Every structure is written in structure tokens, then in C-alpha cells.
Amino acid sequence: MEIAREFIAGWFAGCAGVIVSQPLDTIKVRLQVLNSANQQVPLGTYSCFTNIIKNETVFGLFKGMAPPLAAVALQNAILFGVYGNVLSLLATKPDQKPSLSHISVAAAASGVAQLWVVCPMELVKIKLQMQREAKRTRSTRYRGSIDCVRKIYKTAGIKGIFQGFPPLMVRDVPGFVVYFGSYEILLDLLIQRTSRGDASPLASIFVGGVAGMLSWAATFPFDVVKSLMQADGNDGKFVYKGARDCFVKTYRTGGIGLLYTGLVPSLLRAFPTNGIIFLVYNFVSNFYSERLTQMNANLD
């Protein structure tokens, strides 16, 4: 029952987060890839937004949304499920408040566990986001998520499906330590209680939003490297030999500033997205627990 609760709550939370975040995520990816390819005319957040609306309509902001929507159930079930279960295993007492070291271990474990779902999902999302046609034509390289996976696997095998895995791992494992650690610490400071169920909806939104922003800011250069590697090879030619080569070439091209390209839309996206994720997750989880308790009481 506990596994089912985590899965259901994670699915709803993840779907809500994807819908809220997708437009700014599309802008972030376009900025990272296009500015790396063309340093003479750097693209800004607002100009990128207006270009997409002008040339691709508002639906261009939601390109690549199908892969994350399809995978969020599994990803969030793994993420929150592993995190909660590892915390329970590390606790020496049933109601023990988790220590920072326990939170860090559980967060790192959850980050590692969800990588295998996130990497293919983000690869397909980025491939679709980089297609700038307003409408699908015969020249469109990828005609959807399934077609994208099929063509990548046909040309590069399973290795191609996990393109960009090393920088993703460096981004997510420490990133989720910051994410869950800051959430637990800030929530405890805000409400001065040990039970997450005592948090108000406003507290969940605020603390979840801040935690999301902190985690993105802490590991953002690795997200840039990951995005560049996953966008690489669309024309059959690869610019980067690996994560280290990508990092070095990006730094030499535009310095430290280029490694933070897209940070503004990422932070703008992180606050509402993660606020909604924790709000929906806590709501669905509590709702599920209350209904389960009520059903058990009726059976007795």
C-alpha cells in the first residue's frame, strides 16, 4: 500500500510539474544549445520566447512534453519512494527526526535510482524541443516520441538512448541532496515541527519552490553540458567526444557565462514547478492515507 501511495502521489505531482514547467524548459534548452552554437548574436530569454511564439505559435513552447508526461509516474515514484524508504531504513526509532546525513544519503540514493528513467526521457524531450518547424513536414527529422526513440536506437543502439548520462548523473545526485536537504531544513525552520503533514499548503509551495531553485543553481553547468550532449548529433555528426570534451569546448567558447546559459528561465521555472510538485504530492499522499485509514476502519 505504501508503494502504491508513493506511485500515485508521484504521478500526480510529476504531471502537474511538467505542465507548469514545460514552456520555460523549452526556452532554457533553446538558449543553451543555440547560444553555444552562435556566440556572435546571443539570444536572451524574452527574445527566445517571442521567436518561438512568432514562428511556432504557443504550441511550440510545449514541444517534447509527451516524454516527461509519460515517464513522470515512474520517475517520481522512484524518486519519492526510494527517498522515503531509505529514510525509514536509516531511522533507529519510528518517529525519529531524520538527520542531515540521513537526508543526504536518502536523497543521493533517490537521485541515482531515477537516472535510468530521466536520461532517455530528457534525451527525447530535447531532440523534439530543438525541432523548430511550426508544423510537422516530410523533412521533420523526428515525427514524435516513439519515432525519435526508434531512430536513435537504430543508429546508435542503447548507448544512444543514454546519451548525456555522465553529466546528468553529476547534475542529479548532488542536485537532489541539495533539493531534499534544503526542503527538509527550510520546512522545519518555517513551521518548527517535525511532521511534514503539519505543513500548510502555502508552506509546501514556498519551501518546495526555494528548494528547487537552490538545487538548480548548485549544479546548473552540468545541466548545460548534458543538454549540449543530448542535442548533439542531430545531423549525424557529433561535435563532442564526451562530457569532459563538451565542458572544455563550451568553456573555451564562451567562458563561465556560457555554462550558465538558461539559468534565468530555469530559476523562474523551478519555483512554481517544485512548489506545485510538493503541494500536489503532499495533498495526494495525505488524501490516499486518509481514505485507506477510513476503508480499514469500515472493514473493522
Side-chain angles (χ1 to χ4, degrees):
M1 287 298 182
E2 189 70 21
I3 296 175
R5 186 188 73 172
E6 297 289 347
F7 185 88
I8 294 170
W11 190 89
F12 278 100
C15 286
V18 169
I19 293 170
V20 171
S21 69
Q22 189 66 17
L24 284 169
D25 184 74
T26 299
I27 294 172
K28 180 209 72 168
V29 171
R30 292 280 181 91
L31 288 173
Q32 289 175 339
V33 178
L34 296 179
N35 281 351
S36 177
N38 182 13
Q39 277 294 291
Q40 295 184 0
V41 187
L43 195 63
T45 301
Y46 180 73
S47 58
C48 183
F49 171 79
T50 55
N51 284 341
I52 292 173
I53 295 295
K54 180 180 178 180
N55 298 317
E56 305 168 49
T57 75
V58 69
F59 296 106
L61 294 168
F62 291 90
K63 284 184 175 179
M65 192 169 75
L69 274 177
V72 286
L74 183 57
Q75 178 199 357
N76 281 274
I78 292 171
L79 184 66
F80 285 98
V82 170
Y83 177 72
N85 288 326
V86 171
L87 278 183
S88 298
L89 289 172
L90 294 174
T92 56
K93 298 178 182 179
D95 297 324
Q96 181 184 9
K97 179 181 175 181
S99 65
L100 185 57
S101 60
H102 287 179
I103 292 171
S104 299
V105 171
S110 66
V112 171
Q114 54 89 59
L115 287 171
W116 312 98
V117 176
V118 174
C119 191
M121 176 191 76
E122 293 199 1
L123 174 68
V124 174
K125 175 176 67 67
I126 286 177
K127 295 293 189 186
L128 295 178
Q129 284 175 325
M130 291 309 299
Q131 295 188 152
R132 287 176 280 172
E133 303 93 340
K135 294 182 180 179
R136 185 184 299 171
T137 64
R138 290 184 177 180
S139 62
T140 302
R141 183 173 179 82
Y142 302 116
R143 306 180 66 81
S145 302
I146 302 300
D147 182 58
C148 182
V149 172
R150 181 178 61 82
K151 287 179 177 176
I152 292 173
Y153 183 78
K154 184 178 180 180
T155 57
I158 194 67
K159 182 180 179 181
I161 298 296
F162 285 93
Q163 184 176 329
F165 186 87
L168 176 67
M169 181 174 64
V170 180
R171 182 197 75 178
D172 276 7
V173 176
F176 279 115
V177 172
V178 175
Y179 184 59
F180 283 110
S182 59
Y183 179 83
E184 299 285 2
I185 293 171
L186 291 172
L187 189 66
D188 190 44
L189 289 173
L190 187 63
I191 64 176
Q192 294 299 310
R193 295 180 182 178
T194 58
S195 175
R196 184 177 299 138
D198 292 330
S200 68
L202 186 60
S204 292
I205 293 174
F206 176 76
V207 174
V210 173
M213 293 177 74
L214 290 174
S215 65
W216 273 104
T219 59
F220 195 76
F222 300 103
D223 180 70
V224 174
V225 173
K226 189 270 308 178
S227 294
L228 292 175
M229 289 186 66
Q230 291 187 326
D232 196 20
N234 269 4
D235 56 356
K237 298 178 182 179
F238 287 86
V239 177
Y240 308 112
K241 298 177 181 179
R244 184 177 180 276
D245 182 57
C246 182
F247 184 90
V248 171
K249 286 181 178 177
T250 303
Y251 181 79
R252 287 177 178 174
T253 301
I256 193 68
L258 190 54
L259 289 168
Y260 282 91
T261 302
L263 179 62
V264 172
S266 292
L267 295 181
L268 290 174
R269 178 194 65 170
F271 189 89
T273 300
N274 291 283
I276 290 296
I277 285 176
F278 275 106
L279 175 67
V280 173
Y281 175 82
N282 288 331
F283 174 81
V284 176
S285 182
N286 292 335
F287 180 84
Y288 184 92
S289 296
E290 289 172 3
R291 289 295 179 271
L292 185 61
T293 301
Q294 187 178 8
M295 288 175 59
N296 291 335
N298 291 336
L299 290 175
D300 294 339

